[in-house]
Amino acid sequence: MLRFAEEILLLLLRDGGGRFVPVPGIALDNALAGGVLMDLALENRIDTDAERLILIDATPVGDSLLDPTLAAIAGGERRDALYWVGRTARRAAEIRQEALSRLVERGILEHDEGRFGWVFRSRRYPTVDGTAEREVKLRILGVLLSDDLPDPRDIVIIGLADACGILGELLPKGEYGRARARIDQVRKLDLIGQATARAVHDIEMWLAAGSAQD
């Protein structure tokens, strides 16, 4: 399974262009940071309340994208999710590079020197059980432009991308306004009974607040 940081990068990759959709640097940094925190929430390592981010389990996940932030949370003072978004965003360049390297190792991307950018090596993503996962961009557009019930992870990534203000750059011209009601609908869906729904929601709120301040 891909981590949210990896899926955010795939979401922003231009089809055939070898480059990423241009979004403000702070938006991408916050999206990568939020993705790390959301993955930690879904791994039952953190939770949130109205005033702070709460460490549930300091045991390393065994994932180098997540464990540095988990270790920092475990060794630091109790702070709110906004603080940890900002703290993790300082590692955004490192997170981005590692996520890209992992996508290359998985056979999903390759670096095209001729285009000075990244291109898809595969349109379907291998997963640990040997099956394939449809490209994240196609999945997300499929959710937003239909009434289909989304997967819980797709609910999270739509909220993450929306909170950071990058959905408007992703959707085809003229589609964003028409999709706005659907985006709001998806963001209100329960994560199929996931106990981490509140943490994910709170992280989204802090991401939106942080992006507005910057």
Side-chain angles (χ1 to χ4, degrees):
M1 181 181 296
L2 300 183
R3 293 299 185 185
F4 287 122
E6 295 170 272
E7 291 207 303
I8 283 290
L9 293 176
L10 293 175
L11 195 62
L12 292 174
L13 187 64
R14 287 187 186 275
D15 286 336
R19 297 182 182 276
F20 293 96
V21 173
V23 297
I26 188 63
L28 179 56
D29 291 354
N30 283 348
L32 295 174
V36 167
L37 292 174
M38 287 182 178
D39 269 317
L40 286 173
L42 295 181
E43 292 282 354
N44 296 314
R45 295 305 196 271
I46 62 172
D47 200 349
T48 64
D49 61 22
E51 298 180 351
R52 58 182 176 156
L53 184 146
I54 303 163
L55 178 68
I56 297 175
D57 183 356
T59 305
V61 178
D63 188 314
S64 54
L65 279 176
L66 310 185
D67 285 341
T69 295
L70 178 61
I73 293 170
E77 299 177 4
R78 292 186 176 183
R79 306 293 291 267
D80 61 29
L82 179 59
Y83 171 85
W84 288 110
V85 167
R87 173 81 176 264
T88 306
R90 298 177 197 168
R91 295 180 50 240
E94 174 189 334
I95 293 168
R96 179 179 182 274
Q97 187 56 51
E98 181 164 356
L100 286 171
S101 296
R102 286 162 61 151
L103 291 170
V104 170
E105 291 172 3
R106 288 173 180 265
I108 295 170
L109 292 183
E110 63 182 348
H111 194 247
D112 188 336
E113 297 291 348
R115 293 181 180 178
F116 302 101
W118 300 87
V119 295
F120 285 104
R121 183 181 297 169
S122 169
R123 305 303 297 189
R124 296 179 69 84
Y125 305 154
T127 54
V128 291
D129 63 0
T131 60
E133 183 179 0
R134 196 156 54 101
E135 181 189 339
V136 60
K137 187 180 297 184
L138 298 178
R139 292 196 339 257
I140 297 309
L141 290 178
V143 169
L144 295 181
L145 302 178
S146 76
D147 294 324
D148 295 343
L149 183 65
D151 179 90
R153 288 186 63 86
D154 291 342
I155 297 173
V156 173
I157 202 167
I158 287 169
L160 175 60
D162 188 43
C164 294
I166 60 180
L167 278 183
E169 303 293 338
L170 174 69
L171 290 168
K173 189 175 181 180
E175 292 290 346
Y176 180 73
R178 290 192 287 273
R180 186 65 250 178
R182 174 61 171 165
I183 294 168
D184 293 338
Q185 179 189 50
V186 169
R187 292 190 62 168
K188 292 176 182 176
L189 291 174
D190 182 74
L191 297 184
I192 319 300
Q194 296 242 14
T196 56
R198 185 183 69 251
V200 168
H201 173 75
D202 288 346
I203 292 166
E204 285 181 22
M205 294 298 98
W206 287 117
L207 279 167
S211 295
Q213 289 176 8
D214 293 310

